Amino acid sequence: MLLKNESVSTERASLSIGEKYLLSIKEAAMYFNIGEKKIRRLAEDNQCSSADRRFSVYNGNRVLIIRTKFEKFIEESSAI
C-alpha cells in the first residue's frame, strides 16, 4: 500500500538493442538491417524448427526475436 508521499515509478529501464535478449520485429529490423516483412516471414517459417534452432517466440500474437539465436542463424545461412 502506498502512502501519500510515495510514488510509483512507471519508467522502464531502457536498454540498447544490443543488450536486449528479445527484440520486436521493428527492433530486429533496425539491428540487423533487414526488412520487417522479411524478418516476420523468417520467424514464421522458423516456428516449426527444433527448439535449439528456433529463434522466434510468440507473446500472445506478438512475434519476438531471440537476438543471440537469430545472430547464429544469420551466421550459418548463406542466403536469407
Side-chain angles (χ1 to χ4, degrees), residues 27-66:
E27 289 171 334
M30 289 187 326
Y31 185 78
F32 293 105
N33 198 25
I34 301 173
E36 290 181 31
K37 288 182 182 179
K38 182 65 175 184
I39 290 179
R40 187 175 303 280
R41 199 172 314 128
L42 288 169
E44 290 171 357
D45 292 345
N46 187 258
Q47 281 299 308
C48 57
S49 297
S50 63
D52 60 328
R53 299 191 45 85
R54 191 175 306 145
F55 59 78
S56 61
V57 295
Y58 280 92
N59 181 11
N61 64 347
R62 186 175 185 197
V63 180
L64 298 172
I65 305 297
I66 302 170

Side-chain angles (χ1 to χ4, degrees):
M1 186 168 158
L2 292 175
L3 300 176
K4 258 184 172 178
N5 310 17
E6 295 178 315
S7 64
V8 176
S9 176
T10 57
E11 291 182 35
R12 286 185 166 181
S14 65
L15 295 173
S16 68
I17 293 176
E19 296 173 332
K20 290 184 176 183
Y21 182 72
L22 294 173
L23 302 175
S24 68
I25 295 292
K26 187 177 272 192
E27 289 171 334
M30 289 187 326
Y31 185 78
F32 293 105
N33 198 25
I34 301 173
E36 290 181 31
K37 288 182 182 179
K38 182 65 175 184
I39 290 179
R40 187 175 303 280
R41 199 172 314 128
L42 288 169
E44 290 171 357
D45 292 345
N46 187 258
Q47 281 299 308
C48 57
S49 297
S50 63
D52 60 328
R53 299 191 45 85
R54 191 175 306 145
F55 59 78
S56 61
V57 295
Y58 280 92
N59 181 11
N61 64 347
R62 186 175 185 197
V63 180
L64 298 172
I65 305 297
I66 302 170
R67 184 183 49 81
T68 53
K69 288 188 177 184
F70 192 65
E71 287 173 348
K72 188 175 181 181
F73 170 79
I74 290 175
E75 288 174 2
E76 295 173 354
S77 299
S78 59
I80 297 178

